[in-house]
Amino acid sequence: MEKTLGLEIIEVVEQAAIASARLMGKGLKNEADGVAVEAMRNRMNRINMRGRIVIGEGERDNAPMLYIGEEVGICTQPDAANFCRLEELVEIDIAVDPCEGTNLVAEGRNGSMAVLAIAEKGGLFHAPDLYMQKLAAPPQAKGKVDLDYSATKNLQIIAECLDLIIEDLVVIVMERPRHKTLIEEIRSTGARVKLIDDGDISAALSAGINGTGVHALMGIGAAPEGVISAAALRCLGAHFQGRLIYDPDVVKTGLLSGSKAEIKAQLLDMGISEPDKVYDASELACGKNLLFAATGITDGDFIKGVRFFGGGMRTQTMVISSQSQTIRFVDTVHMVDMEKNSSLQLL
């Protein structure tokens, strides 16, 4: 899958990032997301594949493109048998966030990315439009920390695993009223808190990669993004756990509505037999072959955002593969006007 789709998947996130970056800093949150979605879908539909969106822009009635269940790729067309050897195709599941951090793009702030993860059919958890309690940590702490532990205990474990003192640790938490008690507990241990407004996929990556200066992600964020984070962190050999939060008294839910009991019943109807289960990365992203790709829209901790120049633009993309067990950083110059690129400087 990496060999046949790798380069084209990179181009998918590149095109989404470029489209969104053109609206960076203009205060147009929805528009920045919309152009990223369209660019991502257009590029996907030129790939010789049969893909299905399992994490996307919402259900079909609320999302005209990249909705959950939509089929993408050349080989999903009615006449696919004319130009695709269907018996040789590997069907893939795709999780996308074409513009993670729409507020960040609209306000011209750091940390926004165009993101996707792919696996063979059935390899990604179909997360409902709810929230998820998350815990991400470096590879050294994998399987040692746990969502059922207190934040204090988890930070003690992480410090021991990394041969650090707790005061050395940095924990990313989304700045939300629901996290007031969590933030207070983290600070009481002596650890430092890095608050973010949006973009917890990027935050999970920072926690899962050694050397970023971030040692954990804690708190509640969107469940679909949790699946994408799990795919990336599983490839990295890092720790990720998630538990669905469906109590409207804790956080407002997405498309599912009603009381906690009513939402739980809806989850059971959707086939989620254990709504309170703590999922680890291998359950949220269970595929044998996983590929994660992210292109910076605005500058982040480990990849730069899109940079425009006369005649083109430059992008940076991170690609993580479970097949080759690699993390690649792809620096691409997109040349639009060849005459203006005659004296291109790549510094």
Side-chain angles (χ1 to χ4, degrees), residues 109-156:
R109 291 187 285 127
N110 287 357
S112 182
M113 308 184 300
V115 179
L116 65 75
I118 65 174
E120 67 273 17
K121 185 177 181 180
L124 296 171
F125 180 70
H126 297 203
D129 188 11
L130 287 174
Y131 283 83
M132 177 181 282
Q133 182 185 7
K134 305 174 186 180
L135 174 62
Q140 295 91 327
K142 182 181 179 182
K144 298 176 182 178
V145 292
D146 196 279
L147 264 182
D148 285 330
Y149 296 163
S150 67
T152 300
K153 182 174 180 178
N154 281 326
L155 291 174
Q156 291 170 342

Side-chain angles (χ1 to χ4, degrees), residues 18-19 52 85 101 126 160 168 181 193 218 232 240 285:
I18 290 168
R52 178 182 58 161
R85 294 176 63 90
H126 297 203
E160 291 172 5
D168 290 335
T181 301
V193 175
M218 296 181 178
F240 187 87

